[in-house]
mmCIF file of all heavy atoms in Angstrom:
data_model
loop_
_atom_site.group_PDB
_atom_site.id
_atom_site.type_symbol
_atom_site.label_atom_id
_atom_site.label_comp_id
_atom_site.label_asym_id
_atom_site.label_seq_id
_atom_site.Cartn_x
_atom_site.Cartn_y
_atom_site.Cartn_z
ATOM 1 N N MET A 1 -20.566 -17.928 -12.818
ATOM 2 C CA MET A 1 -20.394 -17.800 -11.353
ATOM 3 C C MET A 1 -19.742 -16.502 -11.065
ATOM 4 O O MET A 1 -18.810 -16.080 -11.727
ATOM 5 C CB MET A 1 -19.490 -18.953 -10.923
ATOM 6 C CG MET A 1 -19.124 -18.785 -9.427
ATOM 7 S SD MET A 1 -18.383 -20.177 -8.522
ATOM 8 C CE MET A 1 -17.285 -20.958 -9.786
ATOM 9 N N ALA A 2 -20.361 -15.720 -10.105
ATOM 10 C CA ALA A 2 -19.803 -14.418 -9.750
ATOM 11 C C ALA A 2 -18.567 -14.554 -8.774
ATOM 12 O O ALA A 2 -18.520 -15.437 -7.943
ATOM 13 C CB ALA A 2 -20.839 -13.568 -9.036
ATOM 14 N N SER A 3 -17.615 -13.576 -8.913
ATOM 15 C CA SER A 3 -16.444 -13.603 -8.057
ATOM 16 C C SER A 3 -16.455 -12.409 -7.237
ATOM 17 O O SER A 3 -16.794 -11.327 -7.649
ATOM 18 C CB SER A 3 -15.118 -13.614 -8.937
ATOM 19 O OG SER A 3 -14.068 -13.543 -8.133
ATOM 20 N N ASN A 4 -16.007 -12.587 -5.974
ATOM 21 C CA ASN A 4 -15.947 -11.441 -5.007
ATOM 22 C C ASN A 4 -14.491 -10.896 -4.984
ATOM 23 O O ASN A 4 -14.277 -9.999 -4.182
ATOM 24 C CB ASN A 4 -16.299 -11.926 -3.555
ATOM 25 C CG ASN A 4 -17.739 -12.250 -3.448
ATOM 26 O OD1 ASN A 4 -18.568 -11.685 -4.242
ATOM 27 N ND2 ASN A 4 -18.179 -13.059 -2.536
ATOM 28 N N THR A 5 -13.644 -11.389 -5.808
ATOM 29 C CA THR A 5 -12.255 -10.850 -5.872
ATOM 30 C C THR A 5 -12.193 -9.524 -6.523
ATOM 31 O O THR A 5 -12.777 -9.297 -7.589
ATOM 32 C CB THR A 5 -11.378 -11.875 -6.681
ATOM 33 O OG1 THR A 5 -11.453 -13.117 -6.101
ATOM 34 C CG2 THR A 5 -9.948 -11.407 -6.639
ATOM 35 N N THR A 6 -11.600 -8.613 -5.920
ATOM 36 C CA THR A 6 -11.423 -7.277 -6.411
ATOM 37 C C THR A 6 -9.993 -7.059 -7.053
ATOM 38 O O THR A 6 -9.037 -7.417 -6.387
ATOM 39 C CB THR A 6 -11.665 -6.142 -5.401
ATOM 40 O OG1 THR A 6 -12.978 -6.295 -4.846
ATOM 41 C CG2 THR A 6 -11.525 -4.721 -5.944
ATOM 42 N N MET A 7 -9.964 -6.602 -8.271
ATOM 43 C CA MET A 7 -8.605 -6.349 -8.864
ATOM 44 C C MET A 7 -8.034 -5.010 -8.344
ATOM 45 O O MET A 7 -8.715 -4.029 -8.406
ATOM 46 C CB MET A 7 -8.720 -6.367 -10.386
ATOM 47 C CG MET A 7 -9.206 -7.622 -10.963
ATOM 48 S SD MET A 7 -8.105 -9.011 -10.669
ATOM 49 C CE MET A 7 -6.850 -8.617 -11.924
ATOM 50 N N HIS A 8 -6.771 -5.073 -7.953
ATOM 51 C CA HIS A 8 -6.149 -3.853 -7.495
ATOM 52 C C HIS A 8 -4.952 -3.573 -8.384
ATOM 53 O O HIS A 8 -4.269 -4.590 -8.817
ATOM 54 C CB HIS A 8 -5.641 -3.999 -6.048
ATOM 55 C CG HIS A 8 -6.781 -4.103 -5.073
ATOM 56 N ND1 HIS A 8 -7.521 -2.952 -4.665
ATOM 57 C CD2 HIS A 8 -7.300 -5.110 -4.335
ATOM 58 C CE1 HIS A 8 -8.390 -3.335 -3.828
ATOM 59 N NE2 HIS A 8 -8.220 -4.648 -3.644
ATOM 60 N N GLY A 9 -4.512 -2.308 -8.550
ATOM 61 C CA GLY A 9 -3.365 -1.996 -9.289
ATOM 62 C C GLY A 9 -2.188 -2.253 -8.412
ATOM 63 O O GLY A 9 -2.268 -2.656 -7.311
ATOM 64 N N ARG A 10 -0.998 -2.109 -8.962
ATOM 65 C CA ARG A 10 0.290 -2.277 -8.201
ATOM 66 C C ARG A 10 0.588 -0.928 -7.398
ATOM 67 O O ARG A 10 0.308 0.133 -7.898
ATOM 68 C CB ARG A 10 1.481 -2.510 -9.177
ATOM 69 C CG ARG A 10 1.313 -3.783 -10.007
ATOM 70 C CD ARG A 10 1.423 -5.034 -9.266
ATOM 71 N NE ARG A 10 2.773 -5.144 -8.736
ATOM 72 C CZ ARG A 10 3.096 -6.273 -8.004
ATOM 73 N NH1 ARG A 10 2.245 -7.168 -7.671
ATOM 74 N NH2 ARG A 10 4.334 -6.371 -7.537
ATOM 75 N N SER A 11 0.984 -1.093 -6.153
ATOM 76 C CA SER A 11 1.435 -0.003 -5.383
ATOM 77 C C SER A 11 2.954 -0.036 -5.243
ATOM 78 O O SER A 11 3.502 -1.143 -5.114
ATOM 79 C CB SER A 11 0.778 0.040 -3.996
ATOM 80 O OG SER A 11 -0.594 0.184 -4.127
ATOM 81 N N GLN A 12 3.521 1.137 -5.202
ATOM 82 C CA GLN A 12 5.015 1.153 -5.076
ATOM 83 C C GLN A 12 5.442 2.300 -4.222
ATOM 84 O O GLN A 12 4.862 3.336 -4.200
ATOM 85 C CB GLN A 12 5.619 1.428 -6.528
ATOM 86 C CG GLN A 12 7.190 1.500 -6.478
ATOM 87 C CD GLN A 12 7.741 1.771 -7.855
ATOM 88 O OE1 GLN A 12 7.119 2.388 -8.732
ATOM 89 N NE2 GLN A 12 8.912 1.198 -8.136
ATOM 90 N N CYS A 13 6.431 1.892 -3.352
ATOM 91 C CA CYS A 13 7.021 2.934 -2.394
ATOM 92 C C CYS A 13 7.959 3.764 -3.194
ATOM 93 O O CYS A 13 8.819 3.305 -3.938
ATOM 94 C CB CYS A 13 7.805 2.190 -1.319
ATOM 95 S SG CYS A 13 8.679 3.264 -0.277
ATOM 96 N N ARG A 14 7.787 5.098 -3.175
ATOM 97 C CA ARG A 14 8.552 6.031 -3.915
ATOM 98 C C ARG A 14 9.941 6.176 -3.184
ATOM 99 O O ARG A 14 10.866 6.811 -3.755
ATOM 100 C CB ARG A 14 7.920 7.367 -3.919
ATOM 101 C CG ARG A 14 6.644 7.266 -4.952
ATOM 102 C CD ARG A 14 5.919 8.479 -5.018
ATOM 103 N NE ARG A 14 6.731 9.514 -5.638
ATOM 104 C CZ ARG A 14 6.429 10.721 -5.952
ATOM 105 N NH1 ARG A 14 5.137 11.120 -5.753
ATOM 106 N NH2 ARG A 14 7.212 11.601 -6.476
ATOM 107 N N ASN A 15 10.056 5.752 -1.968
ATOM 108 C CA ASN A 15 11.324 5.950 -1.282
ATOM 109 C C ASN A 15 12.406 4.758 -1.556
ATOM 110 O O ASN A 15 13.433 4.995 -2.004
ATOM 111 C CB ASN A 15 11.104 5.954 0.268
ATOM 112 C CG ASN A 15 12.363 6.239 1.010
ATOM 113 O OD1 ASN A 15 13.080 7.228 0.789
ATOM 114 N ND2 ASN A 15 12.634 5.396 1.977
ATOM 115 N N CYS A 16 11.866 3.506 -1.536
ATOM 116 C CA CYS A 16 12.781 2.368 -1.670
ATOM 117 C C CYS A 16 12.519 1.510 -2.892
ATOM 118 O O CYS A 16 13.188 0.634 -3.225
ATOM 119 C CB CYS A 16 12.839 1.492 -0.387
ATOM 120 S SG CYS A 16 11.348 0.513 -0.136
ATOM 121 N N GLY A 17 11.296 1.732 -3.468
ATOM 122 C CA GLY A 17 10.870 0.936 -4.756
ATOM 123 C C GLY A 17 10.112 -0.364 -4.397
ATOM 124 O O GLY A 17 9.787 -1.041 -5.334
ATOM 125 N N PHE A 18 9.944 -0.649 -3.136
ATOM 126 C CA PHE A 18 9.116 -1.837 -2.853
ATOM 127 C C PHE A 18 7.813 -1.824 -3.580
ATOM 128 O O PHE A 18 7.194 -0.832 -3.755
ATOM 129 C CB PHE A 18 8.867 -1.998 -1.332
ATOM 130 C CG PHE A 18 7.921 -3.117 -1.007
ATOM 131 C CD1 PHE A 18 8.481 -4.345 -0.759
ATOM 132 C CD2 PHE A 18 6.583 -2.877 -0.723
ATOM 133 C CE1 PHE A 18 7.646 -5.424 -0.438
ATOM 134 C CE2 PHE A 18 5.800 -3.950 -0.414
ATOM 135 C CZ PHE A 18 6.296 -5.262 -0.284
ATOM 136 N N GLU A 19 7.364 -3.006 -4.091
ATOM 137 C CA GLU A 19 6.213 -3.041 -4.955
ATOM 138 C C GLU A 19 5.354 -4.367 -4.584
ATOM 139 O O GLU A 19 5.927 -5.307 -4.391
ATOM 140 C CB GLU A 19 6.637 -3.139 -6.467
ATOM 141 C CG GLU A 19 5.423 -2.892 -7.384
ATOM 142 C CD GLU A 19 5.969 -2.767 -8.875
ATOM 143 O OE1 GLU A 19 7.074 -2.112 -9.071
ATOM 144 O OE2 GLU A 19 5.306 -3.283 -9.723
ATOM 145 N N ALA A 20 4.042 -4.092 -4.493
ATOM 146 C CA ALA A 20 3.153 -5.230 -4.228
ATOM 147 C C ALA A 20 1.776 -4.770 -4.748
ATOM 148 O O ALA A 20 1.584 -3.571 -4.873
ATOM 149 C CB ALA A 20 3.022 -5.571 -2.771
ATOM 150 N N PRO A 21 0.802 -5.643 -4.831
ATOM 151 C CA PRO A 21 -0.536 -5.271 -5.283
ATOM 152 C C PRO A 21 -1.113 -4.214 -4.270
ATOM 153 O O PRO A 21 -0.921 -4.403 -3.034
ATOM 154 C CB PRO A 21 -1.329 -6.553 -5.283
ATOM 155 C CG PRO A 21 -0.297 -7.616 -5.451
ATOM 156 C CD PRO A 21 0.984 -7.134 -4.755
ATOM 157 N N GLY A 22 -1.873 -3.278 -4.671
ATOM 158 C CA GLY A 22 -2.523 -2.286 -3.788
ATOM 159 C C GLY A 22 -3.511 -3.020 -2.912
ATOM 160 O O GLY A 22 -4.232 -3.937 -3.368
ATOM 161 N N GLY A 23 -3.550 -2.718 -1.740
ATOM 162 C CA GLY A 23 -4.418 -3.361 -0.712
ATOM 163 C C GLY A 23 -3.948 -4.673 -0.302
ATOM 164 O O GLY A 23 -4.680 -5.253 0.590
ATOM 165 N N ASP A 24 -2.844 -5.165 -0.700
ATOM 166 C CA ASP A 24 -2.246 -6.454 -0.240
ATOM 167 C C ASP A 24 -1.863 -6.451 1.199
ATOM 168 O O ASP A 24 -1.474 -5.373 1.724
ATOM 169 C CB ASP A 24 -0.994 -6.832 -1.149
ATOM 170 C CG ASP A 24 -0.646 -8.174 -1.196
ATOM 171 O OD1 ASP A 24 -1.403 -9.100 -1.715
ATOM 172 O OD2 ASP A 24 0.272 -8.586 -0.318
ATOM 173 N N ASP A 25 -1.851 -7.616 1.749
ATOM 174 C CA ASP A 25 -1.531 -7.705 3.251
ATOM 175 C C ASP A 25 0.015 -7.403 3.361
ATOM 176 O O ASP A 25 0.448 -7.251 4.575
ATOM 177 C CB ASP A 25 -1.842 -9.143 3.716
ATOM 178 C CG ASP A 25 -3.292 -9.355 3.913
ATOM 179 O OD1 ASP A 25 -4.033 -8.262 4.034
ATOM 180 O OD2 ASP A 25 -3.744 -10.475 4.001
ATOM 181 N N GLU A 26 0.768 -7.390 2.430
ATOM 182 C CA GLU A 26 2.177 -7.022 2.542
ATOM 183 C C GLU A 26 2.424 -5.587 3.045
ATOM 184 O O GLU A 26 3.410 -5.223 3.739
ATOM 185 C CB GLU A 26 2.995 -7.194 1.258
ATOM 186 C CG GLU A 26 3.146 -8.700 0.781
ATOM 187 C CD GLU A 26 3.942 -8.805 -0.451
ATOM 188 O OE1 GLU A 26 5.089 -8.430 -0.415
ATOM 189 O OE2 GLU A 26 3.469 -9.303 -1.480
ATOM 190 N N TRP A 27 1.415 -4.724 2.664
ATOM 191 C CA TRP A 27 1.485 -3.329 3.072
ATOM 192 C C TRP A 27 1.108 -3.264 4.484
ATOM 193 O O TRP A 27 0.130 -3.892 4.908
ATOM 194 C CB TRP A 27 0.697 -2.500 2.168
ATOM 195 C CG TRP A 27 1.146 -2.457 0.866
ATOM 196 C CD1 TRP A 27 0.602 -3.036 -0.336
ATOM 197 C CD2 TRP A 27 2.241 -1.633 0.318
ATOM 198 N NE1 TRP A 27 1.315 -2.738 -1.408
ATOM 199 C CE2 TRP A 27 2.316 -1.905 -1.089
ATOM 200 C CE3 TRP A 27 3.202 -0.835 0.834
ATOM 201 C CZ2 TRP A 27 3.271 -1.320 -1.923
ATOM 202 C CZ3 TRP A 27 4.168 -0.313 -0.021
ATOM 203 C CH2 TRP A 27 4.180 -0.592 -1.346
ATOM 204 N N ARG A 28 1.728 -2.273 5.281
ATOM 205 C CA ARG A 28 1.259 -2.010 6.598
ATOM 206 C C ARG A 28 0.204 -0.875 6.525
ATOM 207 O O ARG A 28 0.213 -0.058 5.671
ATOM 208 C CB ARG A 28 2.418 -1.561 7.516
ATOM 209 C CG ARG A 28 3.435 -2.551 7.790
ATOM 210 C CD ARG A 28 4.492 -2.020 8.607
ATOM 211 N NE ARG A 28 5.532 -3.021 8.787
ATOM 212 C CZ ARG A 28 6.776 -2.794 9.107
ATOM 213 N NH1 ARG A 28 7.223 -1.515 9.325
ATOM 214 N NH2 ARG A 28 7.696 -3.749 9.208
ATOM 215 N N ARG A 29 -0.773 -0.883 7.542
ATOM 216 C CA ARG A 29 -1.694 0.164 7.617
ATOM 217 C C ARG A 29 -1.498 0.813 8.951
ATOM 218 O O ARG A 29 -1.437 0.187 9.989
ATOM 219 C CB ARG A 29 -3.122 -0.395 7.616
ATOM 220 C CG ARG A 29 -3.778 -0.518 6.258
ATOM 221 C CD ARG A 29 -3.031 -1.426 5.389
ATOM 222 N NE ARG A 29 -3.653 -1.920 4.133
ATOM 223 C CZ ARG A 29 -3.229 -3.028 3.518
ATOM 224 N NH1 ARG A 29 -2.358 -3.677 3.974
ATOM 225 N NH2 ARG A 29 -3.791 -3.312 2.366
ATOM 226 N N ILE A 30 -1.329 2.116 9.008
ATOM 227 C CA ILE A 30 -1.178 2.900 10.111
ATOM 228 C C ILE A 30 -2.188 4.014 10.272
ATOM 229 O O ILE A 30 -2.740 4.399 9.248
ATOM 230 C CB ILE A 30 0.281 3.488 10.233
ATOM 231 C CG1 ILE A 30 0.561 4.389 9.133
ATOM 232 C CG2 ILE A 30 1.376 2.378 10.327
ATOM 233 C CD1 ILE A 30 1.816 5.278 9.297
ATOM 234 N N VAL A 31 -2.436 4.479 11.455
ATOM 235 C CA VAL A 31 -3.323 5.656 11.650
ATOM 236 C C VAL A 31 -2.554 6.757 12.203
ATOM 237 O O VAL A 31 -1.778 6.672 13.125
ATOM 238 C CB VAL A 31 -4.534 5.209 12.708
ATOM 239 C CG1 VAL A 31 -5.313 6.447 12.936
ATOM 240 C CG2 VAL A 31 -5.298 4.094 12.186
ATOM 241 N N VAL A 32 -2.606 7.840 11.395
ATOM 242 C CA VAL A 32 -1.837 9.064 11.694
ATOM 243 C C VAL A 32 -2.791 10.114 12.241
ATOM 244 O O VAL A 32 -3.770 10.397 11.517
ATOM 245 C CB VAL A 32 -1.016 9.499 10.531
ATOM 246 C CG1 VAL A 32 -0.268 10.772 10.817
ATOM 247 C CG2 VAL A 32 -0.131 8.459 9.944
ATOM 248 N N PRO A 33 -2.597 10.649 13.428
ATOM 249 C CA PRO A 33 -3.570 11.696 13.923
ATOM 250 C C PRO A 33 -3.605 12.833 12.857
ATOM 251 O O PRO A 33 -2.587 13.219 12.390
ATOM 252 C CB PRO A 33 -2.889 12.098 15.246
ATOM 253 C CG PRO A 33 -2.136 10.964 15.656
ATOM 254 C CD PRO A 33 -1.596 10.286 14.422
ATOM 255 N N LYS A 34 -4.808 13.263 12.705
ATOM 256 C CA LYS A 34 -5.167 14.384 11.699
ATOM 257 C C LYS A 34 -5.036 13.967 10.301
ATOM 258 O O LYS A 34 -5.555 14.743 9.477
ATOM 259 C CB LYS A 34 -4.219 15.623 12.012
ATOM 260 C CG LYS A 34 -4.442 16.246 13.373
ATOM 261 C CD LYS A 34 -3.555 17.499 13.518
ATOM 262 C CE LYS A 34 -3.802 18.062 14.913
ATOM 263 N NZ LYS A 34 -2.909 19.253 15.096
ATOM 264 N N LEU A 35 -4.437 12.902 9.917
ATOM 265 C CA LEU A 35 -4.440 12.478 8.563
ATOM 266 C C LEU A 35 -5.235 11.246 8.378
ATOM 267 O O LEU A 35 -5.715 10.961 7.224
ATOM 268 C CB LEU A 35 -2.969 12.220 8.115
ATOM 269 C CG LEU A 35 -2.026 13.297 8.132
ATOM 270 C CD1 LEU A 35 -0.582 12.917 7.736
ATOM 271 C CD2 LEU A 35 -2.462 14.417 7.168
ATOM 272 N N GLY A 36 -5.445 10.395 9.313
ATOM 273 C CA GLY A 36 -6.288 9.204 9.204
ATOM 274 C C GLY A 36 -5.404 7.977 8.818
ATOM 275 O O GLY A 36 -4.206 7.918 9.054
ATOM 276 N N ARG A 37 -5.978 7.058 8.147
ATOM 277 C CA ARG A 37 -5.370 5.758 7.914
ATOM 278 C C ARG A 37 -4.512 5.908 6.674
ATOM 279 O O ARG A 37 -4.865 6.532 5.718
ATOM 280 C CB ARG A 37 -6.480 4.668 7.600
ATOM 281 C CG ARG A 37 -5.895 3.313 7.487
ATOM 282 C CD ARG A 37 -7.021 2.320 7.455
ATOM 283 N NE ARG A 37 -6.657 1.437 6.277
ATOM 284 C CZ ARG A 37 -7.471 0.529 5.818
ATOM 285 N NH1 ARG A 37 -8.663 0.313 6.282
ATOM 286 N NH2 ARG A 37 -7.042 -0.217 4.850
ATOM 287 N N MET A 38 -3.248 5.340 6.789
ATOM 288 C CA MET A 38 -2.365 5.472 5.646
ATOM 289 C C MET A 38 -1.635 4.135 5.395
ATOM 290 O O MET A 38 -1.569 3.291 6.184
ATOM 291 C CB MET A 38 -1.210 6.582 6.023
ATOM 292 C CG MET A 38 -1.728 7.909 6.181
ATOM 293 S SD MET A 38 -0.500 9.147 6.472
ATOM 294 C CE MET A 38 0.222 9.368 4.955
ATOM 295 N N THR A 39 -1.179 3.995 4.239
ATOM 296 C CA THR A 39 -0.392 2.755 3.738
ATOM 297 C C THR A 39 1.060 3.083 4.087
ATOM 298 O O THR A 39 1.659 4.092 3.770
ATOM 299 C CB THR A 39 -0.630 2.516 2.301
ATOM 300 O OG1 THR A 39 -1.954 2.207 2.073
ATOM 301 C CG2 THR A 39 0.192 1.284 1.859
ATOM 302 N N GLN A 40 1.753 2.035 4.682
ATOM 303 C CA GLN A 40 3.172 2.189 5.008
ATOM 304 C C GLN A 40 3.987 1.087 4.350
ATOM 305 O O GLN A 40 3.539 -0.073 4.406
ATOM 306 C CB GLN A 40 3.386 2.266 6.556
ATOM 307 C CG GLN A 40 4.789 2.524 6.970
ATOM 308 C CD GLN A 40 4.865 2.553 8.457
ATOM 309 O OE1 GLN A 40 4.433 1.580 9.098
ATOM 310 N NE2 GLN A 40 5.562 3.458 8.974
ATOM 311 N N CYS A 41 5.139 1.388 3.872
ATOM 312 C CA CYS A 41 6.051 0.431 3.319
ATOM 313 C C CYS A 41 6.611 -0.515 4.289
ATOM 314 O O CYS A 41 7.122 0.025 5.379
ATOM 315 C CB CYS A 41 7.165 1.107 2.502
ATOM 316 S SG CYS A 41 8.365 0.046 1.817
ATOM 317 N N PRO A 42 6.552 -1.767 4.141
ATOM 318 C CA PRO A 42 7.101 -2.802 5.125
ATOM 319 C C PRO A 42 8.590 -2.712 5.181
ATOM 320 O O PRO A 42 9.256 -3.190 6.182
ATOM 321 C CB PRO A 42 6.556 -4.130 4.790
ATOM 322 C CG PRO A 42 6.360 -3.904 3.258
ATOM 323 C CD PRO A 42 5.910 -2.530 3.064
ATOM 324 N N ASN A 43 9.328 -2.231 4.127
ATOM 325 C CA ASN A 43 10.765 -2.203 4.080
ATOM 326 C C ASN A 43 11.387 -1.046 4.695
ATOM 327 O O ASN A 43 12.316 -1.159 5.450
ATOM 328 C CB ASN A 43 11.258 -2.247 2.600
ATOM 329 C CG ASN A 43 11.086 -3.683 2.008
ATOM 330 O OD1 ASN A 43 10.887 -4.653 2.681
ATOM 331 N ND2 ASN A 43 11.150 -3.732 0.713
ATOM 332 N N CYS A 44 10.931 0.159 4.321
ATOM 333 C CA CYS A 44 11.563 1.358 4.791
ATOM 334 C C CYS A 44 10.716 2.220 5.739
ATOM 335 O O CYS A 44 11.058 3.239 6.183
ATOM 336 C CB CYS A 44 12.057 2.195 3.668
ATOM 337 S SG CYS A 44 10.759 2.894 2.614
ATOM 338 N N GLU A 45 9.409 1.814 5.922
ATOM 339 C CA GLU A 45 8.415 2.574 6.793
ATOM 340 C C GLU A 45 7.976 3.842 6.208
ATOM 341 O O GLU A 45 7.369 4.628 6.880
ATOM 342 C CB GLU A 45 8.944 2.650 8.246
ATOM 343 C CG GLU A 45 9.175 1.286 8.810
ATOM 344 C CD GLU A 45 9.621 1.316 10.323
ATOM 345 O OE1 GLU A 45 9.885 2.487 10.742
ATOM 346 O OE2 GLU A 45 9.614 0.312 10.989
ATOM 347 N N SER A 46 8.292 4.155 4.936
ATOM 348 C CA SER A 46 7.867 5.395 4.356
ATOM 349 C C SER A 46 6.309 5.209 4.023
ATOM 350 O O SER A 46 5.781 4.169 3.832
ATOM 351 C CB SER A 46 8.553 5.543 2.976
ATOM 352 O OG SER A 46 7.985 6.692 2.256
ATOM 353 N N THR A 47 5.654 6.409 4.082
ATOM 354 C CA THR A 47 4.238 6.438 3.618
ATOM 355 C C THR A 47 4.081 7.069 2.276
ATOM 356 O O THR A 47 2.915 7.393 1.868
ATOM 357 C CB THR A 47 3.385 7.240 4.748
ATOM 358 O OG1 THR A 47 3.976 8.504 4.832
ATOM 359 C CG2 THR A 47 3.315 6.521 6.032
ATOM 360 N N ASP A 48 5.122 7.283 1.557
ATOM 361 C CA ASP A 48 5.117 7.853 0.228
ATOM 362 C C ASP A 48 4.899 6.772 -0.782
ATOM 363 O O ASP A 48 5.826 6.228 -1.407
ATOM 364 C CB ASP A 48 6.493 8.680 -0.054
ATOM 365 C CG ASP A 48 6.350 9.525 -1.347
ATOM 366 O OD1 ASP A 48 5.258 9.568 -1.911
ATOM 367 O OD2 ASP A 48 7.354 10.168 -1.642
ATOM 368 N N VAL A 49 3.654 6.351 -0.825
ATOM 369 C CA VAL A 49 3.302 5.186 -1.718
ATOM 370 C C VAL A 49 2.325 5.596 -2.847
ATOM 371 O O VAL A 49 1.393 6.419 -2.553
ATOM 372 C CB VAL A 49 2.646 4.088 -0.868
ATOM 373 C CG1 VAL A 49 2.064 2.962 -1.609
ATOM 374 C CG2 VAL A 49 3.535 3.588 0.262
ATOM 375 N N ILE A 50 2.617 5.158 -4.051
ATOM 376 C CA ILE A 50 1.702 5.415 -5.157
ATOM 377 C C ILE A 50 1.147 4.139 -5.680
ATOM 378 O O ILE A 50 1.672 3.068 -5.582
ATOM 379 C CB ILE A 50 2.477 6.186 -6.371
ATOM 380 C CG1 ILE A 50 3.759 5.409 -6.840
ATOM 381 C CG2 ILE A 50 2.866 7.572 -5.962
ATOM 382 C CD1 ILE A 50 4.349 5.953 -8.067
ATOM 383 N N THR A 51 -0.125 4.249 -6.229
ATOM 384 C CA THR A 51 -0.773 3.112 -6.714
ATOM 385 C C THR A 51 -1.217 3.270 -8.194
ATOM 386 O O THR A 51 -1.810 4.396 -8.537
ATOM 387 C CB THR A 51 -2.099 2.787 -5.905
ATOM 388 O OG1 THR A 51 -1.703 2.531 -4.579
ATOM 389 C CG2 THR A 51 -2.894 1.600 -6.422
ATOM 390 N N SER A 52 -0.903 2.395 -9.074
ATOM 391 C CA SER A 52 -1.331 2.505 -10.493
ATOM 392 C C SER A 52 -2.513 1.656 -10.674
ATOM 393 O O SER A 52 -2.723 0.634 -9.934
ATOM 394 C CB SER A 52 -0.215 2.077 -11.405
ATOM 395 O OG SER A 52 0.170 0.761 -11.200
ATOM 396 N N ARG A 53 -3.277 1.952 -11.646
ATOM 397 C CA ARG A 53 -4.526 1.107 -11.958
ATOM 398 C C ARG A 53 -4.374 0.411 -13.185
ATOM 399 O O ARG A 53 -3.715 0.568 -14.050
ATOM 400 C CB ARG A 53 -5.745 2.009 -12.033
ATOM 401 C CG ARG A 53 -6.002 2.618 -10.681
ATOM 402 C CD ARG A 53 -7.281 3.485 -10.805
ATOM 403 N NE ARG A 53 -7.437 4.018 -9.473
ATOM 404 C CZ ARG A 53 -8.547 3.960 -8.841
ATOM 405 N NH1 ARG A 53 -9.554 3.407 -9.274
ATOM 406 N NH2 ARG A 53 -8.669 4.503 -7.585
#
């Protein structure tokens, strides 16, 4: 049986250390003019987020 589940690496906020799966609903998504869509930390509102695979 095929699965539609996509595996994501862990994402971590470089500012406060918050960690959750990449693409998870815990992360906020914001649109920044001239930059486009970005991931935002729900704890400290930083957009300095890294994702490991």
Side-chain angles (χ1 to χ4, degrees):
M1 174 168 36
S3 173
N4 291 333
T5 304
T6 303
M7 297 295 283
H8 294 284
R10 301 288 294 177
S11 292
Q12 182 179 29
C13 174
R14 293 179 61 177
N15 187 52
C16 74
F18 175 82
E19 194 172 318
D24 195 79
D25 289 339
E26 290 185 63
W27 294 105
R28 293 182 185 156
R29 272 60 169 201
I30 60 172
V31 177
V32 178
K34 297 184 181 180
L35 295 177
R37 192 175 130 183
M38 297 182 76
T39 300
Q40 185 180 46
C41 177
N43 285 348
C44 69
E45 299 183 349
S46 173
T47 57
D48 191 1
V49 176
I50 56 173
T51 300
S52 62
R53 292 182 182 231

